[in-house]
Amino acid sequence: MMLLGRGLDARDNQTRQMQDAVSNVEKHFGELCQIFAGYVRKTARLRDKADLLVNEIYAYAATETPNLKVGLKNFADEFSRLQDYRQAEVDRLEAKVVEPLKCYGTIVKLKRDDLRATLTAKSREAKQLSQLEKTRQRNPSDLHVIAENELHRASLDATRTTRHLEETIDNFEKQKIRDIKNIFSEFITIEMLFHGKALEIYTAAYQNIQNIDENEDLEISRRMLRKDEEEDEEEDEDDEEDDEEDEFDATKEMMLTWIHSCLDCVTSLLNTPAHSLGIKGLRLFC
Amino acid sequence: MMLLGRGLDARDNQTRQMQDAVSNVEKHFGELCQIFAGYVRKTARLRDKADLLVNEIYAYAATETPNLKVGLKNFADEFSRLQDYRQAEVDRLEAKVVEPLKCYGTIVKLKRDDLRATLTAKSREAKQLSQLEKTRQRNPSDLHVIAENELHRASLDATRTTRHLEETIDNFEKQKIRDIKNIFSEFITIEMLFHGKALEIYTAAYQNIQNIDENEDLEISRRMLRKDEEEDEEEDEDDEEDDEEDEFDATKEMMLTWIHSCLDCVTSLLNTPAHSLGIKGLRLFC
C-alpha cells in the first residue's frame, strides 16, 4: 500500500511537472515567435527606408557634376546590393526562426495528446494493479483466483507505461533544447552573414565616396560658369589640397586593403559551416 | 557693346545656374535629411523589438533547467549589449548625418543671401560701366568729362565683383561636395562600426548557445521526474550523440577562434581612422 501511495504521489507530481513544462513551452515559444516576427518586420521596414534612400541618391546624383554623380551612383549601387542581402536576411529569419517557432504550437499539441494517452494508460494500469493488490490482501485464501502471474504482468505493464511516459517527456525535453539551440544558432548565423556582407559592401561603398574627385568637379563647375569670360588661375590652393587628399587616401587605401583581407577571411569562414556543419540553405547569402 | 552684351548674357546664365544649383541642393539635401531620419527611426524601432526579445528571453530562461537557463541568459546579455551599440549607432547617425543635413537649410539660406548681395553689386557696377561706355561713345569730345581712370576703375570693380561671385559659387560647390563626402563617410563609418561590433558579439553569443549542455539538463529533468522511482540506464544512445556533438563543437570552436582573430584585426583597423584619419567622436564605439 505504502509503495503504491508513493507511486500515485509521484505520478501526480510527474503529471503536474509535465503539464507545467508543456504549458511553459507553449507560452514562451509563442511569445518568442511574436517578438521575432516583430523584429523581422522592423528589419523589413528598415530595408524599405533604405530603398527610398537608394532612389533619392540616384535622383540627386543625376543632377550633379560628373565625379559626384558617379561616386553617389556607385554608393547607391552598393547600398542597394546591401538591401538585397537585408531582404535575404528577412526571408531567412522568417523561414528559419519565426516559422519553426510557429510550428511549435502544433508540436506542443501533438506532444500533449501523446502524453495524455500515456497518462490515461498509466492511470488505468495503476488502478488495475491497486485492485489486484487489494483483492489479494482482503482474500489471501483466494490467491488461486488471482493468478500470481496476472499480478506480475499488470505490474510489468505499469512499469513499462511509466517508462514510456518518462521517455515521452524525455524526448519532448530533448527536442525542445535541440530546437532552441537550432533556432538561436540559425538566428545568429543569419544575422552574422548579413553583418559580414554589410562590412564588405560598406568597405567598397566607402571607397566610392572617397574616390569622388572634388577638384575635378570644381574645375568643371568653374569652366561651365566662366565659359563666356576670361580664364584665371588660382590653382595653387587646390594643388596643396590635392597633396593632403593624396595622403589621406593613401592611409585609407592601406586600411581598406587590410579590412578587405580580413573580410575575405571572415566570409570564407562564414561559408564553411554552410557546407560542413549542416547549416543548410544559407549559402545563397555568400 | 558686343562685349558688354555677352557679359550680360553670361551674367544671366550665371545667375540662373547659381539659383538652380542652390535650389537643387536645398531640395535634395532636404529629401536626404528626411529619409535618413526615417532610416534612423526604423533602426530605433528595431532596437525596441530587440529589447523586448531580450526581456522575453530572460523571462523564459528563468523557467528552464540550469544549462539552458545559463545559455539563454548569456545570449540575452550579449544581445542586449548589441542593442546598446545599436542605440549608439542611432545617436551617432542622428548627430553626424541627420543633423548636418538639417543644418544645410541654414547654410543654403546664408549662401543665397551672400550670392544675392554679390549679384546686386555686380548688376549695379555693370550698369555703371555700361553708362560710362555709352557716354563716351555718344560724346567722344566729352572724354575729358569722364576721366579715363574712372572708367578703368569701374571696369576693375566689375571684374573684382565677378570674381567674388565666382568665388562665392565656387566655395558653395566646394563645401557642398566636401559635406556630402563627409556625411556619407560618417554614415558608412558609423554603420561599419555597428556591423563590426555585431559580428564580434554574435560570435560570443553563438558560443553561449552551442555551450548549452543538453545532456546534463536532460539528466537533471530525469532525476527530478524519477526521484521516487527506480533509476534505469539508457545512456548508450546519449553517449553516441555526445561524440557527434564534440566533433561539431570542435569544428565550430576552430572556426570561431579564426573569426575572432579576424574581428580583432577589423576592430583595430576600424579604431585607426578615429585617431589618425580625423573621423572624431566615434571612438566610444570601440
Side-chain angles (χ1 to χ4, degrees), chain A residues 10 13-14 17 24 28-29 31-32 35-36 38-39 42-43 45-46 49-50 52-53 56-57 59-60 63-64 68 72 75 79 86 159 162-163 166-167 169-170 173-174 176-178 180-181 184-185 187-189 191-192 194-196 198-199 202-203 205-206 209-210 212 214 217-218 221-222 224-230 232 234 237-238 241 245 248 251-252 255 258-259 262 265-266 269 273 277 279, chain B residues 6 10 13-14 17 24 28-29 31-32 35-36 38-39 42-43 45-46 49-50 52-53 56-57 59-60 63-64 68 72 75 79 86 159 162-163 166-167 169-170 173-174 176-178 180-181 184-185 187-189 191-192 194-196 198-199 202-203 205-206 209-210 212 214 217-218 221-222 224-230 232 234 237-238 241 245 248 251-252 255 258-259 262 265-266 269 273 277 279:
Chain A
N13 193 32
Q14 273 186 338
Q17 273 188 42
N24 194 51
H28 285 292
F29 276 54
E31 304 240 350
L32 283 173
I35 303 175
F36 268 119
Y39 182 89
K42 296 296 170 194
T43 305
R45 293 295 85 77
L46 187 57
K49 282 288 169 192
L52 287 181
L53 200 52
E56 170 53 28
I57 295 170
Y60 173 50
T63 69
E64 271 298 350
L68 192 52
L72 287 173
F75 170 82
F79 194 60
R86 212 190 289 270
T159 305
T162 299
R163 193 164 298 172
E166 283 169 5
E167 275 174 25
I169 297 173
D170 215 59
E173 289 289 317
K174 196 183 280 180
K176 181 193 70 186
I177 299 183
R178 289 205 175 158
I180 286 176
K181 285 178 77 165
F184 278 87
S185 297
F187 175 75
I188 296 170
T189 312
E191 291 291 85
M192 280 184 87
F194 174 70
H195 291 299
L199 268 186
Y202 277 129
T203 306
Y206 194 89
I209 294 297
Q210 290 302 314
I212 296 171
E214 59 205 71
D217 270 14
L218 285 173
S221 297
R222 271 174 214 144
M224 281 163 67
L225 281 170
R226 283 179 202 168
K227 59 178 175 239
D228 294 319
E229 307 193 27
E230 86 283 1
D232 61 2
E234 295 171 344
E237 199 195 336
D238 289 342
E241 282 158 16
E245 288 287 320
F248 186 79
T251 322
K252 285 278 179 204
M255 184 187 91
W258 279 50
I259 290 188
C262 286
C265 178
V266 172
L269 282 165
L277 302 172
I279 300 162
Chain B
R6 281 179 65 204
N13 194 34
Q14 274 186 337
Q17 275 189 41
N24 194 51
H28 286 291
F29 276 54
E31 304 239 350
L32 284 173
I35 303 174
F36 268 118
Y39 181 90
K42 295 298 169 195
T43 305
R45 291 296 84 76
L46 186 58
K49 280 289 169 192
L52 287 180
L53 199 52
E56 171 52 29
I57 296 170
Y60 173 50
T63 69
E64 273 297 350
L68 193 51
L72 287 173
F75 170 81
F79 194 59
R86 211 190 289 269
T159 305
T162 299
R163 192 161 299 173
E166 283 169 4
E167 277 173 25
I169 296 172
D170 215 59
E173 289 290 318
K174 195 183 282 180
K176 181 194 69 186
I177 299 183
R178 291 208 171 154
I180 287 175
K181 286 180 75 168
F184 278 86
S185 297
F187 175 75
I188 296 169
T189 313
E191 292 291 85
M192 281 185 87
F194 174 70
H195 291 299
L199 268 185
Y202 278 129
T203 306
Y206 193 88
I209 294 298
Q210 289 303 314
I212 295 171
E214 60 203 69
D217 270 14
L218 285 173
S221 298
R222 272 173 213 145
M224 281 163 67
L225 280 170
R226 284 178 200 170
K227 59 180 177 236
D228 292 320
E229 307 194 29
E230 86 283 2
D232 63 2
E234 294 173 343
E237 198 193 337
D238 289 341
E241 281 158 17
E245 287 287 320
F248 186 77
T251 322
K252 285 276 179 205
M255 184 187 91
W258 278 48
I259 290 190
C262 286
C265 177
V266 172
L269 282 166
L277 303 172
I279 299 162

Side-chain angles (χ1 to χ4, degrees), chain A residues 1 3-9 11-12 118-134 151 153-159 161-162:
Chain A
M1 259 323 253
L3 212 148
L4 278 168
R6 279 179 67 203
L8 285 167
D9 276 355
R11 203 181 62 223
D12 287 352
T118 315
L119 265 184
T120 309
K122 201 188 167 194
S123 171
R124 193 182 54 237
E125 285 159 3
K127 261 184 211 146
Q128 189 190 355
L129 189 61
S130 160
Q131 207 62 48
L132 286 168
E133 281 274 7
K134 273 185 202 152
L151 181 60
R153 193 171 47 76
S155 172
L156 275 182
D157 279 355
T159 305
T161 310
T162 299

